[in-house]
Amino acid sequence: MLQTANSEVPNASQITIDAASGLPADKVLPNITNTEITISEYIFYRILQLGVRSVFGVPGDFNLRFLEHIYDVHGLNWIGCCNELNAAYAADAYAKASKKMGVLLTTYGVGELSALNGVAGAYTEFAPVLHLVGTSALKFKRNPRTLNLHHLAGDKKTFKKSDHYKYERIASEFSVDSASIEDDPIEACEMIDRVIYSTWRESRPGYIFLPCDLSEMKVDAQRLASPIELTYRFNSPVSRVEGVADQILQLIYQNKNVSIIVDGFIRKFRMESEFYDIMEKFGDKVNIFSTMYGKGLIGEEHPRFVGTYFGKYEKAVGNLLEASDLIIHFGNFDHELNMGGFTFNIPQEKYIDLSAQYVDITGNLDESITMMEVLPVLASKLDSSRVNVADKFEKFDKYYETPDYQREASLQETDIMQSLNENLTGDDILIVETCSFLFAVPDLKVKQHTNIILQAYWASIGYALPATLGASLAIRDFNLSGKVYTIEGDGSAQMSLQELSSMLRYNIDATMILLNNSGYTIERVIVGPHSSYNDINTNWQWTDLLRAFGDVANEKSVSYTIKEREQLLNILSDPSFKHNGKFRLLECVLPMFDVPKKLGQFTGKIPA
């Protein structure tokens, strides 16, 4: 958090930043001696105070004056993307990788609408993305006689005034808060601070709309001395929260075979510390499961880890969990694929559901209280000595090494699964596209703290490639250890391929495994296995693409075509490959219909 020693106008000597931001004091408010700064600088300084260093977007005439001021705020970097949709995907992954916030900046109409699919994905998947939009001038917005300004979607009758606020109304459906800035400096700053806090608190997008004729509006610099306090604030009485915690604790103490499920909202709402405090007190007394979105929060080498719960699609795991006396679901992210196609089968009378939006204790739903309130109290009050030792379930273990005699090809998706199991560390980030390999994620065996970034709920293909840019820059900006590994489909890659040029431009150190299986394989499994609508141009020379984007001498990238299992395993395990500081593209040539078993089950092609 930003802190200051007194309430005077802040300067570099008065400001300090905590270790989480990684920013030295003189990079936060350099050389501010005047009492006023522009509203543009104010927005960018607020972003910098969060520790964010990269702003993604595309310039346009309505945001240029706004964007000019990013150069006045030392420590912020402009990351120019090839289009706004890719920029939104990158900001989304930056937020998920940094566990702070992603920032996107676009222009009016054509830019913000181009980004909207990515913002809607961030809204659906709970990623805190702050979308800054440079809009038409306030004088035009207020003038009822203004007609058809460029970038305005025209009225049904062209001689009538176009509506300057229609895009803001559209954005309201995909955001938790917004600020449409007008010419009151005090109110403008208050709105900006509120939207930033709301975006963080709800882990969903927020919007700031800045008219192009207000980019130079002066505001009070002293406000920057008061931090935006990024802590959860609640209205529930302490006694009530403690009462809910006590109710949960009594159920824990009176049941013998207690199992816990860890899920995605723990990570999305930054509750890892509280969750780990609870798990430390549980020790080896309870059985542990994860959902697909919860993978990596508990290492699968944990002696009490049983498996990934995927409903009827992993019956051995499901039968063990569902037979428990009490099941506590930490951070429930309730959506179709995470819940095995809605096949979770847990009796309400033995189920405690702790979500970021409610608490449900054995069927008694309470939307006025959340896990963010309850978990810290549970962590402090849980008495380990009163927790019964549950019967230890046998770990559901799989080995993804297909014997040669069962092979249909020399390289299969099971080989990619094995290589990830062997090479991912607890510091790494794995990004998986909405492709056939998405259904392999429940069966991966990952170490604790491995961050798996998915978009399985929104499921917009093309996400993973620009997300690699965002996650890699988050690692760099926040001095995180580990590497980014990305699984990308060949059809999906064609959606957002131009962002490969940004990998070179910004010297991205990441590994992308591209599944070349000749088209939309995940769609082929659903309907139309040989239909032309599931075909793509299969003649792309994937390993030549980075040369085409400018890396002629392979100074910033390396590319390989992989056709054999041993070749893949040897390359990914080679330290000189993993640590060469370059962008690494591996084209893996796979059979057209080679897919994980769970995809066949999920689509009904093989029995569950």
Side-chain angles (χ1 to χ4, degrees), residues 259-261 289 309 317-324 327 346 393:
S259 291
I260 71 102
I261 313 172
F289 300 76
Y309 186 42
V317 174
N319 290 340
L320 290 172
L321 175 69
E322 293 158 12
S324 304
I327 299 162
I346 303 173
F393 293 155

Side-chain angles (χ1 to χ4, degrees), residues 481-516:
S481 55
K483 302 283 188 182
V484 173
Y485 291 81
T486 299
I487 304 295
E488 178 65 278
D490 55 351
S492 302
Q494 292 191 12
M495 294 281 185
S496 50
L497 189 86
Q498 60 271 68
E499 225 56 58
L500 281 179
S501 67
S502 297
M503 308 300 180
L504 304 176
R505 182 181 180 187
Y506 297 107
N507 299 304
I508 296 304
D509 177 358
T511 299
M512 179 169 291
I513 299 173
L514 187 134
L515 312 181
N516 185 347

Side-chain angles (χ1 to χ4, degrees), residues 19-20 93-100 427-429 451 470-484 509:
Y94 187 95
K96 292 172 181 173
S98 69
K99 302 178 185 177
K100 296 287 185 178
D427 297 320
D428 290 332
I429 295 172
N451 188 353
S472 299
L473 287 169
I475 285 178
R476 182 184 302 172
D477 290 354
F478 289 90
N479 296 314
L480 306 176
S481 55
K483 302 283 188 182
V484 173
D509 177 358

Side-chain angles (χ1 to χ4, degrees), residues 58-63 84 105-113 133-134 151:
V58 178
D61 55 346
F62 287 102
N63 68 23
E84 292 88 354
L105 197 157
T106 68
T107 195
Y108 191 51
V110 293
E112 59 183 305
L113 293 182
V133 182
H151 292 344

Side-chain angles (χ1 to χ4, degrees), residues 188 193 222 345 348 356 364 390 476 493 564:
D193 291 358
Q222 183 173 331
N345 186 28
Q348 273 197 334
N364 297 303
R476 182 184 302 172
E564 303 285 341

